[in-house]
Amino acid sequence: MTASITHLVRSRVPAALQASPVIAVLRASHADAYAPVVEALLSGGVRHVEVTLSTPGTLAAVPALTRRFGADAAVGVGTITTVAEARAAAQGSAFLVTPTTQPEVIAAGLEAGLPVFPGGFTPTELHAGWAAGATAVKVFPASHLGPGYVADLRGPFPDIQVVPSGGVTIDGALDWLRAGACAVSLGGPLLQDVFRGGSLDALTARARELVTRIADAGLSERGSA
């Protein structure tokens, strides 16, 4: 597989993600619930949203979400585990996210010219994703590690770009960014109960708090390696 993907070009970390390095991960009972939540996140300054294939109706919903919010938000698709899913998700999405490291799935995203964020946990998995052309590797589940893991990875892999995901909190997000992560991915700690009737205004407030704290700490608008 390596020989067949060497001609593909890595998509670098988008400038918009450098400027606002937060990806909100949305898991709902159905994709019909996405739109008001995306709108609330945008009102709080979160500009990157990952909708997940574990939510029924996601693939069908992506084109409409992109048409509605694409001028202000990057809508990507996550929980991709097969080449077929990657190719289908590439139609209308801004980026692809996987929970695992599969070079053929990464290659499908590269073929579409999209940023790809494959998941891994061990140095071997994360380097394999990076070597296969990942835009950045998704450290998952990050809650079992810590921000110091970024420095540990940068020892043998000095150019690797990292996005922690899984259990990253609003407080912890700043620690990961200070450690050198190019962005942070937040699900439950940011979304909380919004898909179970929770307040959209409260979500906007949490998003605004996170974005403001990152900007005040000087952790946005940094160049990628």
Side-chain angles (χ1 to χ4, degrees):
M1 188 66 201
T2 301
S4 66
I5 65 174
T6 52
H7 67 287
L8 299 173
V9 178
R10 183 194 314 277
S11 294
R12 294 172 66 84
V13 178
L17 186 56
Q18 296 174 39
S20 183
V22 177
I23 301 171
V25 183
L26 277 57
R27 299 187 189 278
S29 59
H30 195 276
D32 289 345
Y34 283 149
V37 173
V38 175
E39 190 166 5
L41 287 164
L42 275 171
S43 295
V46 171
R47 305 296 180 192
H48 287 73
V49 176
E50 174 191 337
V51 295
T52 53
L53 292 186
S54 56
T55 296
T58 287
L59 279 179
V62 168
L65 289 169
T66 297
R67 285 193 300 271
R68 178 171 175 179
F69 300 109
D72 300 305
V75 179
V77 178
T79 324
I80 294 169
T81 59
T82 69
V83 171
E85 288 174 348
R87 289 174 175 162
Q91 306 303 309
S93 66
F95 59 91
L96 305 180
V97 185
T98 80
T100 57
T101 301
Q102 299 180 71
E104 64 274 17
V105 174
I106 297 169
L110 295 178
E111 288 168 356
L114 294 178
V116 185
F117 303 93
F121 188 76
T122 68
T124 297
E125 292 167 345
L126 295 167
H127 180 261
W130 181 250
T135 301
V137 292
K138 184 180 78 168
V139 176
F140 174 81
S143 59
H144 291 278
L145 297 166
Y149 197 48
V150 178
D152 293 339
L153 290 170
R154 289 269 174 81
F157 318 131
D159 296 329
I160 199 167
Q161 295 291 304
V162 175
V163 177
S165 181
V168 177
T169 64
I170 290 177
D171 288 335
L174 272 69
D175 292 333
W176 280 99
L177 292 169
R178 289 189 183 101
C182 66
V184 289
S185 176
L186 287 85
L190 176 60
L191 278 294
Q192 295 189 13
D193 61 351
V194 72
F195 285 120
R196 302 188 301 276
S199 168
L200 290 169
D201 288 340
L203 172 60
T204 294
R206 289 191 297 273
R208 184 175 295 117
E209 176 190 0
L210 175 59
V211 170
T212 300
R213 290 176 65 180
I214 289 171
D216 288 348
L219 295 169
S220 56
E221 299 184 350
R222 300 176 304 173
S224 62

